[in-house]
Amino acid sequence: YFESLKKLKADHPNLWLITDEAHALQNPTTIQYRFVNEIRPLFIGAWFLTATPILNNLDGFYHMVELAKPGFFGSYYRFRNKYYILEKSTLWLKKKGRKRATPKNIFEQVGYKNLDILQEIFSKISIIKSKTYNFSVNYRSTVLSDSMKRFYIDAAAGLFSGKVISNNRTKKSKKGKQEHCGARLHDLQRVVSNSHNDLKALRNKDSLTEKEVLLMKTIKEVIDKDQAVLIYFSYLETVERVKYIIQRLQKTLRIPTIHEISGKISQKERKLVEDNIKPRDVVLITSAGTESINLQKANNLIFYEIPFPIREFIQACGRIMRMNSKFDCFDIYILEAAGTIDTYKKNRILAN
């Protein structure tokens, strides 16, 4: 592909690069970023299009701008010193073969500064066309039952990585407990959502947890306004679990249609969902439904599972808050099982 671009450049010297969804180019370690970085010198200029130029922090923003206009902000360290508030701290590291840990000074980001200057400088290379949206974020919270808390503690200990052999015990996998703590975070969320595979043999599938009851109440709250609602999930197992519950209550809640947009739904089917959303419909979406799709026939979004990446949260909100929406107000609902991983992820959203 790179060679074909070089040949194109030979015949057409005044090439421009147009990059849609440019926020995907904020991590210089990805293949996408490295590829665009390689081909960038072939173009006399670039247009980068995005609705979310700033995601988790200013690092990604810096790297994205560096691709569009190389050298615009100067070096990364100059940018960091100018706009980041840094605090010196000590990290103790223990190397193999050494009995004692050794200190290492690091500088942690604790805030930002000079953002008015950054905005003024960025305006020299940016054209911003935007609309102000009237939206509200509504927090709904519940508490797990004692039995669910026990499952949650087992998942935290890594016991939910094996095969269920009885109603209250799990058999460890051949490798024993999960070694990677990051994997347990996913187990924790699936336990809170009552969708973990191990729970299927431990719980009555027709019995609703406290968080599932909270979700049904929130859906009813929206449906009673005679409006459609999107529900965001991180895991397909949770989509299947919630779909089963809603189907049982579909007539009671008077829901016309339950739609789904996930990785297993084809592009053609996703387009049909986009066209056919009606008032009181429910649309179940995963990250596959958070980019390059317009769901502005709805103006309500429930986060049953809050995504880890801030980017996904923003993109999901962008499905309903579209420039051509007929709605004046938008409602975002964040559901939380208090004191669990839900609280941690909710706090990350609040901090941003």
Side-chain angles (χ1 to χ4, degrees):
Y1 189 49
F2 184 71
E3 290 303 317
S4 67
L5 279 174
K6 285 168 63 176
K7 292 178 183 178
L8 187 66
K9 173 72 172 177
D11 297 330
H12 305 277
N14 295 324
L15 291 179
W16 279 79
L17 174 65
I18 300 177
T19 305
D20 196 13
E21 306 290 358
H23 50 265
L25 300 172
Q26 295 205 359
N27 183 350
T29 66
T30 63
I31 292 175
Q32 275 182 312
Y33 190 100
R34 296 204 305 268
F35 175 72
V36 175
N37 191 43
E38 285 292 320
I39 67 172
R40 179 64 181 86
L42 298 176
F43 300 88
I44 63 171
W47 285 98
F48 275 33
L49 316 176
T50 176
T52 50
I54 297 177
L55 300 175
N56 289 355
N57 52 48
L58 287 179
D59 275 15
F61 173 71
Y62 169 84
H63 292 302
M64 181 185 67
V65 173
E66 183 66 13
L67 274 186
K69 183 78 171 174
F72 180 72
F73 284 129
S75 73
Y76 168 71
Y77 294 102
R78 177 186 172 190
F79 178 85
R80 185 176 171 85
N81 288 332
K82 187 169 184 178
Y83 300 112
Y84 281 31
I85 299 174
L86 303 171
E87 193 173 86
K88 186 177 179 180
S89 61
T90 302
L91 183 67
W92 289 85
L93 302 173
K94 189 174 182 180
K95 295 182 179 179
K96 287 184 177 181
R98 293 187 179 182
K99 294 183 178 180
R100 295 182 179 179
T102 55
K104 179 183 179 181
N105 291 328
I106 60 171
F107 290 88
E108 292 184 286
Q109 176 204 338
V110 295
Y112 297 107
K113 60 184 179 182
N114 299 325
L115 293 184
D116 54 336
I117 297 174
L118 176 62
Q119 186 173 358
E120 182 181 349
I121 292 174
F122 183 57
S123 67
K124 296 177 181 178
I125 61 163
S126 63
I127 298 174
I128 299 175
K129 181 181 179 183
S130 62
K131 175 181 175 181
T132 301
Y133 294 95
N134 180 17
F135 74 98
S136 58
V137 182
N138 308 280
Y139 299 96
R140 302 285 188 272
S141 183
T142 188
V143 178
L144 293 181
S145 66
D146 289 341
S147 62
M148 288 300 293
K149 286 178 183 176
R150 286 195 293 272
F151 293 136
Y152 189 80
I153 291 170
D154 285 346
L159 298 178
F160 268 69
S161 57
K163 180 180 178 182
V164 175
I165 57 175
S166 72
N167 286 337
N168 56 7
R169 307 182 74 179
T170 58
K171 181 180 178 181
K172 296 177 188 176
S173 62
K174 291 181 180 179
K175 294 182 180 179
K177 293 181 181 179
Q178 286 183 351
E179 295 179 2
H180 198 293
C181 292
R184 294 188 201 174
L185 296 178
H186 299 291
D187 282 347
L188 290 177
Q189 184 64 76
R190 284 191 286 255
V191 167
V192 170
S193 303
N194 195 26
S195 63
H196 197 289
N197 287 332
D198 286 1
L199 289 174
K200 292 177 182 178
L202 297 173
R203 293 184 54 82
N204 178 355
K205 69 176 182 179
D206 293 327
S207 175
L208 302 190
T209 66
E210 293 73 23
K211 190 176 179 184
E212 288 170 343
V213 170
L214 179 63
L215 174 61
M216 295 305 115
K217 287 180 177 178
T218 309
I219 292 173
K220 186 178 184 304
E221 182 180 335
V222 174
I223 295 298
D224 285 348
K225 295 189 292 184
D226 204 33
Q227 296 173 350
V229 60
L230 311 185
I231 309 176
Y232 177 91
F233 305 89
S234 297
Y235 306 101
L236 283 173
E237 300 99 316
T238 313
V239 174
E240 293 304 316
R241 168 64 184 165
V242 170
K243 188 195 300 184
Y244 170 77
I245 298 171
I246 297 178
Q247 285 173 340
R248 287 173 53 212
L249 298 172
Q250 188 169 356
K251 288 185 178 179
T252 304
L253 294 173
R254 295 190 296 119
I255 298 172
T257 312
I258 302 168
H259 306 279
E260 180 181 343
I261 301 177
S262 64
K264 65 180 184 179
I265 304 299
S266 70
Q267 292 292 341
K268 184 177 180 180
E269 290 174 296
R270 294 181 199 184
K271 179 62 179 173
L272 288 174
V273 173
E274 188 176 331
D275 294 338
N276 294 322
I277 296 175
K278 304 180 296 297
R280 304 182 71 88
D281 277 2
V282 172
V283 187
L284 313 177
I285 68 170
T286 64
S287 58
T290 59
E291 290 192 2
S292 303
I293 190 166
N294 303 324
L295 303 173
Q296 71 268 16
K297 290 185 178 180
N299 64 321
N300 299 272
L301 171 61
I302 299 173
F303 283 96
Y304 187 61
E305 293 172 323
I306 306 167
F308 275 108
I310 302 297
R311 166 186 168 179
E312 257 180 51
F313 181 88
I314 297 171
Q315 288 288 342
C317 294
R319 296 317 94 203
I320 60 173
M321 288 187 273
R322 315 291 298 176
M323 293 190 74
N324 56 347
S325 172
K326 68 177 183 179
F327 297 102
D328 297 321
C329 301
F330 304 85
D331 278 302
I332 311 297
Y333 298 86
I334 295 180
L335 307 191
E336 169 199 13
T340 70
I341 193 169
D342 283 350
T343 304
Y344 167 74
K345 292 199 283 188
K346 181 198 74 173
N347 289 340
R348 290 186 74 243
I349 298 298
L350 287 171
N352 279 271

PDB file of all heavy atoms in Angstrom, residues 259-286:
ATOM      1  N   HIS A 259     -33.971  -4.082  19.646  1.00  0.00           N
ATOM      2  CA  HIS A 259     -32.930  -4.116  18.621  1.00  0.00           C
ATOM      3  C   HIS A 259     -31.581  -4.448  19.278  1.00  0.00           C
ATOM      4  O   HIS A 259     -31.398  -4.278  20.477  1.00  0.00           O
ATOM      5  CB  HIS A 259     -32.808  -2.766  17.910  1.00  0.00           C
ATOM      6  CG  HIS A 259     -34.088  -2.251  17.333  1.00  0.00           C
ATOM      7  ND1 HIS A 259     -34.584  -2.680  16.117  1.00  0.00           N
ATOM      8  CD2 HIS A 259     -34.978  -1.331  17.807  1.00  0.00           C
ATOM      9  CE1 HIS A 259     -35.709  -2.038  15.855  1.00  0.00           C
ATOM     10  NE2 HIS A 259     -35.972  -1.220  16.869  1.00  0.00           N
ATOM     11  N   GLU A 260     -30.633  -4.872  18.455  1.00  0.00           N
ATOM     12  CA  GLU A 260     -29.291  -5.154  18.964  1.00  0.00           C
ATOM     13  C   GLU A 260     -28.243  -4.709  17.946  1.00  0.00           C
ATOM     14  O   GLU A 260     -28.380  -4.966  16.754  1.00  0.00           O
ATOM     15  CB  GLU A 260     -29.113  -6.644  19.253  1.00  0.00           C
ATOM     16  CG  GLU A 260     -27.723  -6.994  19.778  1.00  0.00           C
ATOM     17  CD  GLU A 260     -27.537  -8.482  20.036  1.00  0.00           C
ATOM     18  OE1 GLU A 260     -28.547  -9.213  20.127  1.00  0.00           O
ATOM     19  OE2 GLU A 260     -26.369  -8.921  20.144  1.00  0.00           O
ATOM     20  N   ILE A 261     -27.212  -4.020  18.434  1.00  0.00           N
ATOM     21  CA  ILE A 261     -26.055  -3.680  17.595  1.00  0.00           C
ATOM     22  C   ILE A 261     -24.803  -4.119  18.355  1.00  0.00           C
ATOM     23  O   ILE A 261     -24.414  -3.502  19.342  1.00  0.00           O
ATOM     24  CB  ILE A 261     -25.990  -2.171  17.293  1.00  0.00           C
ATOM     25  CG1 ILE A 261     -27.250  -1.705  16.577  1.00  0.00           C
ATOM     26  CG2 ILE A 261     -24.747  -1.857  16.450  1.00  0.00           C
ATOM     27  CD1 ILE A 261     -27.287  -0.217  16.312  1.00  0.00           C
ATOM     28  N   SER A 262     -24.208  -5.203  17.884  1.00  0.00           N
ATOM     29  CA  SER A 262     -22.992  -5.735  18.510  1.00  0.00           C
ATOM     30  C   SER A 262     -22.092  -6.282  17.414  1.00  0.00           C
ATOM     31  O   SER A 262     -22.418  -6.207  16.228  1.00  0.00           O
ATOM     32  CB  SER A 262     -23.351  -6.841  19.510  1.00  0.00           C
ATOM     33  OG  SER A 262     -23.947  -7.941  18.845  1.00  0.00           O
ATOM     34  N   GLY A 263     -20.960  -6.851  17.807  1.00  0.00           N
ATOM     35  CA  GLY A 263     -20.010  -7.366  16.831  1.00  0.00           C
ATOM     36  C   GLY A 263     -20.554  -8.488  15.978  1.00  0.00           C
ATOM     37  O   GLY A 263     -20.071  -8.724  14.869  1.00  0.00           O
ATOM     38  N   LYS A 264     -21.575  -9.177  16.463  1.00  0.00           N
ATOM     39  CA  LYS A 264     -22.127 -10.301  15.688  1.00  0.00           C
ATOM     40  C   LYS A 264     -23.255  -9.875  14.748  1.00  0.00           C
ATOM     41  O   LYS A 264     -23.796 -10.702  14.020  1.00  0.00           O
ATOM     42  CB  LYS A 264     -22.629 -11.388  16.640  1.00  0.00           C
ATOM     43  CG  LYS A 264     -23.798 -10.977  17.514  1.00  0.00           C
ATOM     44  CD  LYS A 264     -24.210 -12.137  18.420  1.00  0.00           C
ATOM     45  CE  LYS A 264     -25.440 -11.777  19.235  1.00  0.00           C
ATOM     46  NZ  LYS A 264     -25.872 -12.895  20.103  1.00  0.00           N
ATOM     47  N   ILE A 265     -23.595  -8.584  14.777  1.00  0.00           N
ATOM     48  CA  ILE A 265     -24.652  -8.061  13.900  1.00  0.00           C
ATOM     49  C   ILE A 265     -24.002  -7.450  12.659  1.00  0.00           C
ATOM     50  O   ILE A 265     -23.100  -6.624  12.769  1.00  0.00           O
ATOM     51  CB  ILE A 265     -25.497  -6.996  14.627  1.00  0.00           C
ATOM     52  CG1 ILE A 265     -26.079  -7.570  15.935  1.00  0.00           C
ATOM     53  CG2 ILE A 265     -26.599  -6.479  13.733  1.00  0.00           C
ATOM     54  CD1 ILE A 265     -27.002  -8.744  15.746  1.00  0.00           C
ATOM     55  N   SER A 266     -24.439  -7.846  11.483  1.00  0.00           N
ATOM     56  CA  SER A 266     -23.838  -7.378  10.233  1.00  0.00           C
ATOM     57  C   SER A 266     -24.088  -5.885  10.023  1.00  0.00           C
ATOM     58  O   SER A 266     -25.001  -5.300  10.614  1.00  0.00           O
ATOM     59  CB  SER A 266     -24.399  -8.165   9.058  1.00  0.00           C
ATOM     60  OG  SER A 266     -25.764  -7.829   8.837  1.00  0.00           O
ATOM     61  N   GLN A 267     -23.281  -5.285   9.135  1.00  0.00           N
ATOM     62  CA  GLN A 267     -23.446  -3.861   8.819  1.00  0.00           C
ATOM     63  C   GLN A 267     -24.827  -3.590   8.225  1.00  0.00           C
ATOM     64  O   GLN A 267     -25.438  -2.562   8.497  1.00  0.00           O
ATOM     65  CB  GLN A 267     -22.352  -3.422   7.832  1.00  0.00           C
ATOM     66  CG  GLN A 267     -20.948  -3.406   8.407  1.00  0.00           C
ATOM     67  CD  GLN A 267     -20.764  -2.320   9.462  1.00  0.00           C
ATOM     68  OE1 GLN A 267     -21.530  -1.364   9.549  1.00  0.00           O
ATOM     69  NE2 GLN A 267     -19.745  -2.478  10.283  1.00  0.00           N
ATOM     70  N   LYS A 268     -25.309  -4.516   7.418  1.00  0.00           N
ATOM     71  CA  LYS A 268     -26.635  -4.345   6.809  1.00  0.00           C
ATOM     72  C   LYS A 268     -27.720  -4.320   7.875  1.00  0.00           C
ATOM     73  O   LYS A 268     -28.634  -3.484   7.834  1.00  0.00           O
ATOM     74  CB  LYS A 268     -26.889  -5.484   5.819  1.00  0.00           C
ATOM     75  CG  LYS A 268     -28.192  -5.360   5.049  1.00  0.00           C
ATOM     76  CD  LYS A 268     -28.349  -6.484   4.042  1.00  0.00           C
ATOM     77  CE  LYS A 268     -29.654  -6.345   3.263  1.00  0.00           C
ATOM     78  NZ  LYS A 268     -29.820  -7.440   2.272  1.00  0.00           N
ATOM     79  N   GLU A 269     -27.605  -5.232   8.862  1.00  0.00           N
ATOM     80  CA  GLU A 269     -28.599  -5.267   9.940  1.00  0.00           C
ATOM     81  C   GLU A 269     -28.502  -4.029  10.820  1.00  0.00           C
ATOM     82  O   GLU A 269     -29.516  -3.512  11.302  1.00  0.00           O
ATOM     83  CB  GLU A 269     -28.387  -6.529  10.777  1.00  0.00           C
ATOM     84  CG  GLU A 269     -28.760  -7.825  10.068  1.00  0.00           C
ATOM     85  CD  GLU A 269     -28.404  -9.047  10.893  1.00  0.00           C
ATOM     86  OE1 GLU A 269     -27.191  -9.272  11.138  1.00  0.00           O
ATOM     87  OE2 GLU A 269     -29.324  -9.772  11.302  1.00  0.00           O
ATOM     88  N   ARG A 270     -27.278  -3.538  11.024  1.00  0.00           N
ATOM     89  CA  ARG A 270     -27.111  -2.320  11.830  1.00  0.00           C
ATOM     90  C   ARG A 270     -27.793  -1.138  11.160  1.00  0.00           C
ATOM     91  O   ARG A 270     -28.397  -0.289  11.829  1.00  0.00           O
ATOM     92  CB  ARG A 270     -25.621  -2.017  12.023  1.00  0.00           C
ATOM     93  CG  ARG A 270     -24.872  -3.054  12.854  1.00  0.00           C
ATOM     94  CD  ARG A 270     -23.417  -2.674  13.008  1.00  0.00           C
ATOM     95  NE  ARG A 270     -22.609  -3.823  13.392  1.00  0.00           N
ATOM     96  CZ  ARG A 270     -21.323  -3.781  13.679  1.00  0.00           C
ATOM     97  NH1 ARG A 270     -20.678  -2.625  13.632  1.00  0.00           N
ATOM     98  NH2 ARG A 270     -20.648  -4.876  14.006  1.00  0.00           N
ATOM     99  N   LYS A 271     -27.696  -1.074   9.840  1.00  0.00           N
ATOM    100  CA  LYS A 271     -28.334   0.014   9.095  1.00  0.00           C
ATOM    101  C   LYS A 271     -29.851  -0.056   9.245  1.00  0.00           C
ATOM    102  O   LYS A 271     -30.523   0.975   9.371  1.00  0.00           O
ATOM    103  CB  LYS A 271     -27.925  -0.072   7.622  1.00  0.00           C
ATOM    104  CG  LYS A 271     -28.550   0.989   6.736  1.00  0.00           C
ATOM    105  CD  LYS A 271     -28.136   2.389   7.152  1.00  0.00           C
ATOM    106  CE  LYS A 271     -28.754   3.436   6.228  1.00  0.00           C
ATOM    107  NZ  LYS A 271     -28.496   4.819   6.722  1.00  0.00           N
ATOM    108  N   LEU A 272     -30.389  -1.269   9.260  1.00  0.00           N
ATOM    109  CA  LEU A 272     -31.833  -1.438   9.444  1.00  0.00           C
ATOM    110  C   LEU A 272     -32.267  -0.928  10.819  1.00  0.00           C
ATOM    111  O   LEU A 272     -33.329  -0.315  10.961  1.00  0.00           O
ATOM    112  CB  LEU A 272     -32.219  -2.910   9.280  1.00  0.00           C
ATOM    113  CG  LEU A 272     -32.169  -3.463   7.854  1.00  0.00           C
ATOM    114  CD1 LEU A 272     -32.422  -4.966   7.855  1.00  0.00           C
ATOM    115  CD2 LEU A 272     -33.185  -2.757   6.955  1.00  0.00           C
ATOM    116  N   VAL A 273     -31.447  -1.197  11.844  1.00  0.00           N
ATOM    117  CA  VAL A 273     -31.753  -0.685  13.188  1.00  0.00           C
ATOM    118  C   VAL A 273     -31.781   0.831  13.164  1.00  0.00           C
ATOM    119  O   VAL A 273     -32.708   1.479  13.689  1.00  0.00           O
ATOM    120  CB  VAL A 273     -30.716  -1.185  14.216  1.00  0.00           C
ATOM    121  CG1 VAL A 273     -30.951  -0.514  15.573  1.00  0.00           C
ATOM    122  CG2 VAL A 273     -30.791  -2.699  14.358  1.00  0.00           C
ATOM    123  N   GLU A 274     -30.771   1.417  12.532  1.00  0.00           N
ATOM    124  CA  GLU A 274     -30.659   2.876  12.442  1.00  0.00           C
ATOM    125  C   GLU A 274     -31.915   3.489  11.827  1.00  0.00           C
ATOM    126  O   GLU A 274     -32.399   4.537  12.275  1.00  0.00           O
ATOM    127  CB  GLU A 274     -29.426   3.207  11.586  1.00  0.00           C
ATOM    128  CG  GLU A 274     -29.055   4.664  11.543  1.00  0.00           C
ATOM    129  CD  GLU A 274     -27.773   4.884  10.756  1.00  0.00           C
ATOM    130  OE1 GLU A 274     -26.912   3.978  10.716  1.00  0.00           O
ATOM    131  OE2 GLU A 274     -27.624   5.981  10.180  1.00  0.00           O
ATOM    132  N   ASP A 275     -32.465   2.816  10.823  1.00  0.00           N
ATOM    133  CA  ASP A 275     -33.629   3.352  10.103  1.00  0.00           C
ATOM    134  C   ASP A 275     -34.955   3.088  10.814  1.00  0.00           C
ATOM    135  O   ASP A 275     -35.916   3.837  10.634  1.00  0.00           O
ATOM    136  CB  ASP A 275     -33.699   2.739   8.695  1.00  0.00           C
ATOM    137  CG  ASP A 275     -32.527   3.156   7.819  1.00  0.00           C
ATOM    138  OD1 ASP A 275     -31.919   4.211   8.118  1.00  0.00           O
ATOM    139  OD2 ASP A 275     -32.204   2.423   6.865  1.00  0.00           O
ATOM    140  N   ASN A 276     -35.006   2.032  11.629  1.00  0.00           N
ATOM    141  CA  ASN A 276     -36.301   1.542  12.119  1.00  0.00           C
ATOM    142  C   ASN A 276     -36.577   1.779  13.604  1.00  0.00           C
ATOM    143  O   ASN A 276     -37.555   1.258  14.132  1.00  0.00           O
ATOM    144  CB  ASN A 276     -36.433   0.041  11.826  1.00  0.00           C
ATOM    145  CG  ASN A 276     -36.486  -0.235  10.330  1.00  0.00           C
ATOM    146  OD1 ASN A 276     -37.088   0.509   9.576  1.00  0.00           O
ATOM    147  ND2 ASN A 276     -35.828  -1.299   9.905  1.00  0.00           N
ATOM    148  N   ILE A 277     -35.740   2.546  14.292  1.00  0.00           N
ATOM    149  CA  ILE A 277     -35.997   2.829  15.710  1.00  0.00           C
ATOM    150  C   ILE A 277     -37.278   3.661  15.839  1.00  0.00           C
ATOM    151  O   ILE A 277     -37.448   4.672  15.155  1.00  0.00           O
ATOM    152  CB  ILE A 277     -34.821   3.588  16.346  1.00  0.00           C
ATOM    153  CG1 ILE A 277     -33.558   2.718  16.343  1.00  0.00           C
ATOM    154  CG2 ILE A 277     -35.149   3.998  17.785  1.00  0.00           C
ATOM    155  CD1 ILE A 277     -32.317   3.434  16.835  1.00  0.00           C
ATOM    156  N   LYS A 278     -38.154   3.212  16.737  1.00  0.00           N
ATOM    157  CA  LYS A 278     -39.432   3.904  16.971  1.00  0.00           C
ATOM    158  C   LYS A 278     -39.531   4.284  18.450  1.00  0.00           C
ATOM    159  O   LYS A 278     -38.800   3.753  19.287  1.00  0.00           O
ATOM    160  CB  LYS A 278     -40.610   2.991  16.603  1.00  0.00           C
ATOM    161  CG  LYS A 278     -40.579   2.452  15.176  1.00  0.00           C
ATOM    162  CD  LYS A 278     -41.772   1.563  14.881  1.00  0.00           C
ATOM    163  CE  LYS A 278     -41.776   0.296  15.735  1.00  0.00           C
ATOM    164  NZ  LYS A 278     -40.629  -0.582  15.488  1.00  0.00           N
ATOM    165  N   PRO A 279     -40.448   5.190  18.803  1.00  0.00           N
ATOM    166  CA  PRO A 279     -40.674   5.500  20.215  1.00  0.00           C
ATOM    167  C   PRO A 279     -40.973   4.229  21.005  1.00  0.00           C
ATOM    168  O   PRO A 279     -41.648   3.329  20.514  1.00  0.00           O
ATOM    169  CB  PRO A 279     -41.890   6.434  20.187  1.00  0.00           C
ATOM    170  CG  PRO A 279     -41.813   7.094  18.846  1.00  0.00           C
ATOM    171  CD  PRO A 279     -41.284   6.033  17.923  1.00  0.00           C
ATOM    172  N   ARG A 280     -40.422   4.139  22.211  1.00  0.00           N
ATOM    173  CA  ARG A 280     -40.569   3.027  23.146  1.00  0.00           C
ATOM    174  C   ARG A 280     -39.715   1.808  22.779  1.00  0.00           C
ATOM    175  O   ARG A 280     -39.722   0.812  23.497  1.00  0.00           O
ATOM    176  CB  ARG A 280     -42.047   2.596  23.289  1.00  0.00           C
ATOM    177  CG  ARG A 280     -42.992   3.703  23.706  1.00  0.00           C
ATOM    178  CD  ARG A 280     -44.413   3.177  23.858  1.00  0.00           C
ATOM    179  NE  ARG A 280     -44.508   2.321  25.050  1.00  0.00           N
ATOM    180  CZ  ARG A 280     -44.786   2.759  26.283  1.00  0.00           C
ATOM    181  NH1 ARG A 280     -44.997   4.052  26.488  1.00  0.00           N
ATOM    182  NH2 ARG A 280     -44.870   1.916  27.285  1.00  0.00           N
ATOM    183  N   ASP A 281     -38.959   1.874  21.678  1.00  0.00           N
ATOM    184  CA  ASP A 281     -38.057   0.773  21.329  1.00  0.00           C
ATOM    185  C   ASP A 281     -36.850   0.762  22.267  1.00  0.00           C
ATOM    186  O   ASP A 281     -36.464   1.797  22.832  1.00  0.00           O
ATOM    187  CB  ASP A 281     -37.552   0.913  19.891  1.00  0.00           C
ATOM    188  CG  ASP A 281     -38.545   0.351  18.885  1.00  0.00           C
ATOM    189  OD1 ASP A 281     -39.624  -0.107  19.308  1.00  0.00           O
ATOM    190  OD2 ASP A 281     -38.242   0.381  17.678  1.00  0.00           O
ATOM    191  N   VAL A 282     -36.259  -0.418  22.414  1.00  0.00           N
ATOM    192  CA  VAL A 282     -35.036  -0.594  23.200  1.00  0.00           C
ATOM    193  C   VAL A 282     -33.933  -1.080  22.261  1.00  0.00           C
ATOM    194  O   VAL A 282     -34.136  -2.027  21.496  1.00  0.00           O
ATOM    195  CB  VAL A 282     -35.236  -1.612  24.344  1.00  0.00           C
ATOM    196  CG1 VAL A 282     -33.902  -1.934  25.013  1.00  0.00           C
ATOM    197  CG2 VAL A 282     -36.227  -1.068  25.366  1.00  0.00           C
ATOM    198  N   VAL A 283     -32.776  -0.421  22.303  1.00  0.00           N
ATOM    199  CA  VAL A 283     -31.640  -0.800  21.457  1.00  0.00           C
ATOM    200  C   VAL A 283     -30.476  -1.200  22.359  1.00  0.00           C
ATOM    201  O   VAL A 283     -29.992  -0.386  23.153  1.00  0.00           O
ATOM    202  CB  VAL A 283     -31.209   0.355  20.532  1.00  0.00           C
ATOM    203  CG1 VAL A 283     -30.134  -0.121  19.551  1.00  0.00           C
ATOM    204  CG2 VAL A 283     -32.396   0.940  19.786  1.00  0.00           C
ATOM    205  N   LEU A 284     -30.034  -2.439  22.261  1.00  0.00           N
ATOM    206  CA  LEU A 284     -28.910  -2.947  23.041  1.00  0.00           C
ATOM    207  C   LEU A 284     -27.638  -2.775  22.220  1.00  0.00           C
ATOM    208  O   LEU A 284     -27.545  -3.302  21.104  1.00  0.00           O
ATOM    209  CB  LEU A 284     -29.123  -4.423  23.391  1.00  0.00           C
ATOM    210  CG  LEU A 284     -30.515  -4.800  23.941  1.00  0.00           C
ATOM    211  CD1 LEU A 284     -30.597  -6.304  24.164  1.00  0.00           C
ATOM    212  CD2 LEU A 284     -30.812  -4.042  25.230  1.00  0.00           C
ATOM    213  N   ILE A 285     -26.661  -2.036  22.737  1.00  0.00           N
ATOM    214  CA  ILE A 285     -25.449  -1.780  21.957  1.00  0.00           C
ATOM    215  C   ILE A 285     -24.202  -2.137  22.764  1.00  0.00           C
ATOM    216  O   ILE A 285     -24.185  -2.067  23.985  1.00  0.00           O
ATOM    217  CB  ILE A 285     -25.348  -0.308  21.495  1.00  0.00           C
ATOM    218  CG1 ILE A 285     -25.136   0.636  22.690  1.00  0.00           C
ATOM    219  CG2 ILE A 285     -26.564   0.107  20.689  1.00  0.00           C
ATOM    220  CD1 ILE A 285     -24.781   2.059  22.283  1.00  0.00           C
ATOM    221  N   THR A 286     -23.159  -2.537  22.051  1.00  0.00           N
ATOM    222  CA  THR A 286     -21.821  -2.706  22.624  1.00  0.00           C
ATOM    223  C   THR A 286     -20.920  -1.670  21.952  1.00  0.00           C
ATOM    224  O   THR A 286     -21.400  -0.773  21.260  1.00  0.00           O
ATOM    225  CB  THR A 286     -21.282  -4.125  22.364  1.00  0.00           C
ATOM    226  OG1 THR A 286     -21.135  -4.310  20.946  1.00  0.00           O
ATOM    227  CG2 THR A 286     -22.230  -5.181  22.920  1.00  0.00           C
TER     228      THR A 286
END
